[in-house]
Amino acid sequence: MQAALMTKPTQATKIAELYGLPTVQPANWKAITAAQQCPFLNRKCLKNRKSEPAITIGTCTMIYGREPQPVMICPFRLLERNQIFTDCIHLLKLHEPGNELRIVAELAVPGGSIDYCLVSTRGGRPRDFVGIELQTLDTTGTVWPERQRFLKQHGIRVKRRDTTASKPFGMNWKMTAKTILVQLNHKIATFEHLSKRLVLVLQSPLLAYMQRQFAFDHIQGVRDGDAMHFHAYELRKEGAGYILKLKERISTDTAGIAMSLGLQADTKVELQAILEQIEAKLPKSTLLRVGGPVPVPEIVEIEAEDES
């Protein structure tokens, strides 16, 4: 009976992944969209419609570009297998065998907050930490009609008006890149002052855009002593879907980020203030395990679907 519910695409769709599943594989899409579960957070999807808050969008990745490629539009898509956290362990300079590795969500720092911290702990106390920011592409327009057309292709009843849009969706490359660089400029001085590391986790096409459009010529290779690290991932085709793989790493310091924007940051805080925040959040943190759960930041920087 279950096999009868599995449907295949009848034509190409611009949605590469819906609720974490590749759209090219047979699936019970009616049940999947009814459940609205995000496999990367092990909970309900957090991206809601403005007009129907109870309904989630579920679009993780879109096919986009002159040379079509999968482009992630949800930051939680980056949490696959918790690989981004294990790829930051080497930046914990004070980590020792026997310490636990825990994931803490949302740490307040001057200039905003950090999405996650990978923390090395011993005896319930933080010994070292790495700040981790997630950034995927913001969209213009709405991807909702693409989603609804995909479901219609699979025999799922949708409203006719939901399958049309006044304009196609797009990727807001410029605003996404500039916004995150400005935010990093405000935050990186704190980490450099504390001799800690901040990592921006992003998709490789977004890093490539930054390197073309901003002053990145001075940011080459990886220096162990740098406070600011960029970890760029690709969605590598594997079987019927995609798997997240680290493709490139580069690093710089406060001056390097300022140079890329022509700005300066001078915000600093004391190490003890951040350690106290981490210690207070440790009871709600999660132990780092491959494929294990990840805490959700209280302030989720995912806007509702733009339906304009």
Side-chain angles (χ1 to χ4, degrees):
M1 183 66 179
Q2 180 69 14
L5 296 173
M6 306 293 274
T7 57
K8 295 183 179 181
T10 56
Q11 64 183 64
T13 176
K14 293 181 180 178
I15 296 178
E17 294 175 314
L18 186 65
Y19 293 108
L21 296 175
T23 56
V24 295
Q25 74 175 27
N28 184 349
W29 292 108
K30 185 175 182 179
I32 291 167
T33 53
Q36 303 186 81
Q37 290 296 299
C38 170
F40 310 112
L41 289 174
N42 295 311
R43 55 157 293 167
K44 185 179 178 181
C45 173
L46 293 172
K47 194 171 185 179
N48 305 92
R49 294 199 77 198
K50 287 180 179 178
S51 60
E52 298 176 279
I55 302 298
T56 59
I57 310 302
T59 48
C60 312
T61 309
M62 304 298 291
I63 299 296
Y64 192 79
R66 294 179 180 176
E67 298 180 2
Q69 61 181 315
V71 177
M72 289 179 279
I73 63 172
C74 176
F76 295 127
R77 174 62 181 87
L78 291 162
L79 297 178
E80 177 193 324
R81 308 185 327 278
N82 288 341
Q83 185 66 44
I84 63 171
F85 298 108
T86 59
D87 288 341
C88 291
I89 293 175
H90 70 287
L91 297 174
L92 291 166
K93 301 306 178 182
L94 301 179
H95 178 67
E96 296 178 312
N99 287 15
E100 280 191 344
L101 292 171
R102 305 196 71 87
I103 304 168
V104 173
E106 195 178 14
L107 195 73
V109 298
S113 63
I114 302 299
D115 293 328
Y116 291 101
C117 272
L118 176 63
V119 187
S120 175
T121 70
R122 182 181 288 268
R125 302 290 297 275
R127 301 298 185 183
D128 201 1
F129 65 90
V130 173
I132 300 173
E133 286 274 72
L134 311 183
Q135 185 62 59
T136 49
L137 262 295
D138 294 329
T139 58
T140 59
T142 172
V143 301
W144 184 253
E146 289 289 343
R147 176 194 192 272
Q148 297 304 86
R149 283 194 289 269
F150 170 76
L151 296 180
K152 184 178 180 181
Q153 292 171 18
H154 291 77
I156 301 173
R157 182 179 298 178
V158 299
K159 297 175 183 177
R160 175 178 289 185
R161 67 173 182 270
D162 284 351
T163 62
T164 60
S166 58
K167 59 181 180 180
F169 77 93
M171 298 294 170
N172 202 345
W173 297 91
K174 183 176 182 179
M175 185 58 67
T176 300
K178 185 173 183 179
T179 298
I180 189 60
L181 286 175
V182 170
Q183 291 175 356
L184 292 176
N185 184 66
H186 289 305
K187 299 171 184 177
I188 189 56
T190 294
F191 282 80
E192 187 165 279
H193 174 60
L194 302 176
S195 298
K196 302 300 179 185
R197 308 293 186 266
L198 176 60
V199 180
L200 177 66
V201 176
L202 71 172
Q203 194 174 354
S204 51
L206 178 54
L207 177 59
Y209 177 87
M210 291 178 177
Q211 292 170 322
R212 292 193 306 269
Q213 300 298 322
F214 295 86
F216 262 65
D217 290 345
H218 60 287
I219 305 177
Q220 301 288 336
V222 181
R223 299 183 302 188
D224 186 66
D226 281 336
M228 183 72 241
H229 290 252
F230 294 79
H231 286 188
Y233 289 78
E234 64 176 338
L235 280 178
R236 188 176 300 173
K237 188 71 174 173
E238 186 170 291
Y242 301 96
I243 188 168
L244 198 69
K245 293 288 186 179
L246 182 63
K247 183 178 182 181
E248 182 180 4
R249 295 188 298 127
I250 58 175
S251 69
T252 187
D253 53 16
T254 299
I257 292 295
M259 189 181 300
S260 71
L261 288 166
L263 302 172
Q264 288 188 335
D266 56 5
T267 308
K268 298 178 181 179
V269 296
E270 294 302 321
L271 176 61
Q272 188 59 35
I274 286 187
L275 291 178
E276 288 175 357
Q277 282 190 71
I278 290 176
E279 190 168 343
K281 288 176 175 284
L282 281 179
K284 294 185 178 180
S285 67
T286 57
L287 189 66
L288 175 60
R289 301 194 303 271
V290 175
V294 175
V296 180
E298 293 179 8
I299 302 175
V300 181
E301 294 186 0
I302 292 187
E303 295 183 359
E305 171 73 2
D306 179 5
E307 300 174 41
S308 58

